Amino acid sequence: MIKVTLPDGSLREYAKGTTSLEVARSISEGLARNVLSAKVNGQVIDASRPLNEDCTLQLLTWNDTDGKSTMWHSSAHLMAEALEALYPGTKFGIGPAIENGFYYDVDFNGQSISSDDLPKIEQKMLELAKTNSVYIRKEISKNEAIAYFREKKDQYKLELLEGLEDGQITFYSQGNFTDLCRGPHLPDTSFIKAIKLTALAGAYWRGDEKNKMLTRIYGITFPKEKELKEYLHLLEEAKKRDHRKLGKELELFHFSEKVGMGLPLWLPKGAALRERLIDFMKKAQQQAGYLPVVSPHIGNKNLYITSGHYEKYGKDSFQPIATPQEGEEFFLKPMNCPHHCEIYKSSPRSYKDLPLRLAEFGTVYRYEQSGELHGLTRVRGFTQDDAHLFCRPDQVKEEFCKVIDLVLYVFKALDFHDYTAQVSLRDKENHEKYIGDEANWTLAEQAIIESAQEKGLKTVVEYGEAAFYGPKLDFMIKDALGRKWQLGTIQVDYNLPERFQLEYTGSDNQKHRPVMIHRAPFGSLERFIGVLIEHCAGNFPLWLTPEQVAILSVSEKSNAYVEQVLEQLQKNYDIRGYADLRNESIGKKIREAELKKIPFMLIIGEKEALAQKVAVRIHGKGDAGIIEINDFAAMVNKEIENDLSI
RNA sequence: GCCGAAGUAGCUCAGCUGGUAGAGCAGCUGAUUUGUAAUCAGCUGGUCGGGGGUUCGAGUCCCUUCUUCGGCUCCA
């Protein structure tokens, strides 16, 4: 007999060799029907694998992330089976589960398929799923495995096999399809009830552009048709919220081929919104003891040679511009830190001056590969809400913690409530990619991890995600549709102070080297606004929205009063808005204001003019009654106060 | 940068196997003076992304280039 501990702490005894599925069945039939895989002693395995020793057991269902992964991984195999049936001779690369579904990279051996073929593949998959084929696991020797794929002429699997050790190789089969796979998989295909193949794309074999381009087919599956519908609805919603679409509709920004790709033009409304964000951040920074500085858009090549950026990115930047007479070379600044280092150096510093917090909304230019550009979230010219904190080594942690506070304040004010902090460390294997000495890296990494802990942040650690000069704490936010975005970043840097020979005089009257913290709560304003647009679907917080109120005249008879109301709101209450005095029906004016997502509409006819009141209509909600102007103003300002008092 | 798809009026889109470029909205002009998501009528607006080619004739076919979109790779 073996002892099995369940997640609730209860202990049960079973005969040795009992499967997780059988354990589930002993608890309830219903549970057994929903078990996709099992986590045994922390490792996810097939629910049909026998348990041979005492263990902790978590039965995984659709409600568990790992359960979903099992489902999707098995779905990838199902798709492969369908592809093999429909397109004989297809070779298979890898087919993993991903965050939302799965993909399989395949080589159609010369045949080409288009997205029109996807429904056909879906159909085949459904057909195969209905056969309730069992996923069978088989341990196999390396030689046998090689022989199998030689026979199939699948060079990709053979290549994968090269990296595997004999004795650890398993095959999984379902129906007529067998794949090299470590699993785990579903008990059988019947769990896959709803299937959608979502996209078709090229992807290099093993992600290396020197390799052959395979066809990647993305898909997602569900245990119920209803869940697929919900998912498709979510996709629709995401399309509606696309910041590129809303940016156009709400007249926030524009791209012009003539200006250049990836170079956003801010229209008046977008610029107004942006200015407000900047003001908001300036105020917060002023309170946190930051000092504004300003640096030019270009910097001498030598500046970047000193900083090390030239060596690292010189060839991949916009190429330098040169002075006509002397031929001196200048780069468009790709970051503000070197400039700020020179500001630090402009005068001798005492330990009493530190921390010195230099802040700048600095516009930087980076050559991003053409295929990378995407609306506002990936551009070639953007403005960072940048600051560099120069501090003594003993101040690093405290300063780091303060920056975390600031970042969290910003997120709250903008209604981002779901985020994780990603501790981005060096690639464990490959330390040569980074500059700076080992001891400092270790110090910096520790400072970050400790600060994140101290602040009680939900943290994940990612290796290989550090900047080349230092580790980072990146804030990953989840938007209203559950999509993840990287926004703010905080970075500890021992390297630039070294390169720029930054110094301060300590209390011991000796020269010391300060530590630098780079930080940008928004990251880039462009990217942040892009994400914000999608997060709030264009319904910005009242304090931020370009136009808070639309004042609409019912007929031209009321125009004078409308203008009077607007003036009062602007002058006395600092409320932003516009008057719609056009010779159009009130219905049309309302419709347009609704489409522009103006939070409040004031409908003004003869009634209101006579009573010296306003009829309020709330965006998305409708008529909210007739009230005094100052009551309306109070209502607006109250809401703003609520949003900003956190 | 690489693979694939797409570019038609300011916007959203139609235009079949090649035969004189269309609609709605927006804009302009006029009528109407309107009560909570589109009042009516008229008008303007396009070297069909750019450049080459095939053809009697190209939005449509071919080549090339640019941009956009979906991915890959990248992201100081």
Side-chain angles (χ1 to χ4, degrees):
Chain A
M1 298 297 270
I2 55 165
K3 294 192 182 72
V4 175
T5 312
L6 297 171
D8 63 359
S10 67
L11 195 79
R12 289 171 171 245
E13 290 208 356
Y14 293 94
K16 189 172 170 187
T18 302
T19 67
S20 305
L21 207 51
E22 286 160 350
V23 172
R25 200 163 287 130
S26 77
I27 296 169
S28 90
E29 265 305 319
L31 179 60
R33 271 199 303 276
N34 288 312
V35 167
L36 303 176
S37 56
K39 197 180 245 181
V40 177
N41 290 334
Q43 200 193 347
V44 185
I45 61 167
D46 305 326
S48 54
R49 297 273 298 273
L51 304 171
N52 288 322
E53 53 193 52
D54 292 357
C55 60
T56 60
L57 170 67
Q58 187 190 354
L59 296 162
L60 299 172
T61 67
W62 183 248
N63 295 323
D64 302 291
T65 312
D66 289 326
K68 283 193 175 78
S69 293
T70 305
M71 170 91 163
W72 288 332
H73 188 184
S74 296
S75 300
H77 281 226
L78 183 67
M79 181 168 81
E81 186 183 0
L83 291 173
E84 201 166 60
L86 293 168
Y87 308 93
T90 298
K91 314 280 172 53
F92 297 91
I94 55 163
I98 50 175
E99 202 178 337
N100 286 302
F102 60 91
Y103 66 80
Y104 217 124
D105 284 345
V106 299
D107 179 346
F108 282 106
N109 222 2
Q111 303 177 72
S112 75
I113 73 161
S114 77
S115 52
D116 300 335
D117 298 313
L118 295 180
K120 189 169 72 184
I121 302 167
E122 280 168 20
Q123 273 313 310
K124 189 71 185 174
M125 286 174 73
L126 278 170
E127 196 182 295
L128 293 168
K130 283 187 189 139
T131 60
N132 298 359
S133 302
V134 176
Y135 285 89
I136 300 160
R137 179 177 188 274
K138 185 181 169 196
E139 288 174 17
I140 193 162
S141 75
K142 189 162 179 173
N143 284 338
E144 278 179 275
I146 290 172
Y148 178 82
F149 286 111
R150 280 234 175 96
E151 169 76 30
K152 272 185 103 176
K153 297 196 174 69
D154 191 328
Q155 68 267 35
Y156 306 104
K157 294 295 177 187
L158 286 169
E159 197 180 319
L160 290 175
L161 274 168
E162 279 170 26
L164 296 178
E165 260 176 62
D166 201 5
Q168 300 197 351
I169 296 169
T170 50
F171 274 13
Y172 275 83
S173 308
Q174 93 277 358
N176 292 317
F177 179 75
T178 297
D179 203 352
L180 168 70
C181 181
R182 87 166 75 82
H185 281 284
L186 298 171
D188 65 70
T189 57
S190 70
F191 290 84
I192 304 169
K193 292 276 201 290
I195 299 169
K196 180 75 189 170
L197 299 185
T198 47
L200 199 61
Y204 302 108
W205 167 236
R206 301 203 139 176
D208 187 336
E209 61 183 308
K210 289 183 209 77
N211 289 339
K212 181 164 182 188
M213 172 88 52
L214 305 180
T215 306
R216 175 170 296 181
I217 305 177
Y218 287 90
I220 189 163
T221 54
F222 297 90
K224 286 183 190 143
E225 186 65 33
K226 188 173 149 251
E227 302 192 48
L228 171 60
K229 287 226 172 77
E230 283 167 6
Y231 175 73
L232 294 175
H233 177 76
L234 197 72
L235 291 187
E236 283 300 306
E237 189 58 29
K239 225 182 254 175
K240 276 189 224 155
R241 287 166 176 251
D242 190 318
H243 75 278
R244 293 166 299 189
K245 179 171 175 284
L246 285 170
K248 205 180 269 179
E249 286 170 8
L250 303 178
E251 301 172 302
L252 300 175
F253 56 87
H254 174 73
F255 285 93
S256 148
E257 270 186 41
K258 220 166 205 166
V259 171
M261 58 164 93
L263 300 170
L265 299 170
W266 289 91
L267 305 177
K269 284 178 195 170
L273 188 147
R274 195 186 140 105
E275 288 293 317
R276 252 163 250 294
L277 268 181
I278 291 175
D279 288 346
F280 165 78
M281 182 63 77
K282 276 186 178 161
K283 205 172 280 172
Q285 286 180 166
Q286 191 198 8
Q287 280 164 9
Y290 288 72
L291 304 172
V293 293
V294 176
S295 60
H297 288 237
I298 61 173
N300 194 294
K301 179 175 170 181
N302 290 324
L303 181 67
Y304 304 107
I305 290 175
T306 301
S307 72
H309 291 103
Y310 179 74
E311 191 194 346
K312 188 85 184 170
Y313 292 103
K315 284 171 233 54
D316 301 317
S317 331
F318 282 116
Q319 289 309 290
I321 47 178
T323 56
Q325 306 277 333
E326 308 81 350
E328 255 186 308
E329 289 186 310
F330 292 82
F331 276 91
L332 283 167
K333 78 172 165 185
M335 79 289 303
N336 305 297
C337 26
H339 294 77
H340 290 187
C341 284
E342 286 300 305
I343 291 174
Y344 179 92
K345 281 184 90 167
S346 65
S347 111
R349 306 291 177 180
S350 148
Y351 72 98
K352 295 175 195 165
D353 299 333
L354 304 184
L356 182 68
R357 309 181 186 92
L358 303 180
E360 171 172 15
F361 288 84
T363 303
V364 297
Y365 300 89
R366 296 178 182 177
Y367 173 79
E368 304 288 359
Q369 294 186 66
S370 59
E372 285 315 319
L373 302 174
H374 180 93
L376 286 183
T377 58
R378 196 78 185 272
V379 287
R380 286 181 168 173
F382 59 94
T383 302
Q384 296 176 310
D385 56 331
D386 208 359
H388 296 95
L389 285 58
F390 300 86
C391 55
R392 304 191 304 260
D394 63 289
Q395 294 171 319
V396 170
K397 211 169 98 187
E398 189 189 341
E399 280 305 303
F400 206 92
C401 286
K402 280 190 195 166
V403 175
I404 293 177
D405 287 338
L406 185 67
V407 171
L408 299 189
Y409 168 72
V410 170
F411 284 4
K412 269 191 194 165
L414 288 145
D415 213 32
F416 289 112
H417 297 295
D418 196 348
Y419 50 81
T420 46
Q422 175 180 304
V423 179
S424 302
L425 305 178
R426 276 173 300 179
D427 195 327
K428 274 179 179 167
E429 268 93 67
N430 192 356
H431 279 191
E432 300 82 64
K433 283 199 297 197
Y434 307 92
I435 56 177
D437 72 79
E438 194 67 27
N440 282 341
W441 268 89
T442 312
L443 271 174
E445 291 182 348
Q446 255 163 20
I448 290 181
I449 292 166
E450 282 171 27
S451 307
Q453 262 168 9
E454 207 156 291
K455 286 286 150 195
L457 295 177
K458 193 163 67 170
T459 312
V460 291
V461 176
E462 290 289 341
Y463 292 92
E465 292 291 314
F468 74 94
Y469 52 74
K472 308 190 282 182
L473 188 68
D474 293 324
F475 287 83
M476 319 294 289
I477 67 100
K478 241 189 201 178
D479 74 10
L481 295 183
R483 296 167 303 175
K484 283 188 193 152
W485 301 89
Q486 193 216 305
L487 292 177
T489 177
I490 317 177
Q491 315 176 356
V492 180
D493 184 355
Y494 289 87
N495 177 59
L496 273 188
E498 194 73 39
R499 288 181 157 263
F500 278 88
Q501 298 286 299
L502 304 184
E503 291 178 332
Y504 65 90
T505 309
S507 56
D508 55 3
N509 200 27
Q510 299 292 306
K511 296 293 185 195
H512 296 273
R513 185 127 296 155
V515 183
M516 225 172 136
I517 297 174
H518 309 240
R519 43 105 282 177
F522 293 144
S524 119
L525 279 168
E526 282 71 11
R527 180 181 174 77
F528 187 85
I529 292 172
V531 174
L532 180 65
I533 290 169
E534 306 207 358
H535 181 57
C536 66
N539 300 300
F540 298 107
L542 194 53
W543 64 272
L544 192 59
T545 200
E547 289 164 319
Q548 296 164 321
V549 56
I551 311 175
L552 317 175
S553 59
V554 171
S555 84
E556 288 178 349
K557 286 180 200 156
S558 323
N559 282 359
Y561 181 59
V562 165
E563 288 191 290
Q564 191 190 319
V565 171
L566 177 64
E567 194 183 321
Q568 247 188 74
L569 290 175
Q570 284 174 334
K571 283 202 175 145
N572 302 344
Y573 301 100
D574 214 18
I575 290 172
R576 310 183 287 279
Y578 69 92
D580 191 343
L581 306 177
R582 293 173 306 163
N583 178 13
E584 294 289 354
S585 72
I586 188 66
K588 180 163 184 167
K589 293 179 185 180
I590 289 171
R591 179 180 154 80
E592 286 181 6
E594 287 283 353
L595 290 174
K596 285 199 272 187
K597 300 178 190 281
I598 311 289
F600 295 104
M601 283 149 273
L602 299 180
I603 286 88
I604 306 286
E606 291 177 276
K607 251 190 299 178
E608 289 76 16
L610 201 65
Q612 293 285 294
K613 291 186 177 182
V614 293
V616 180
R617 182 188 162 99
I618 300 172
H619 168 69
K621 294 205 176 81
D623 199 340
I626 297 180
I627 59 174
E628 301 278 346
I629 297 175
N630 52 4
D631 288 341
F632 170 72
M635 181 169 116
V636 171
N637 286 322
K638 177 91 187 161
E639 188 178 327
I640 291 173
E641 210 176 296
N642 280 344
D643 281 356
L644 289 177
S645 70
I646 342 170

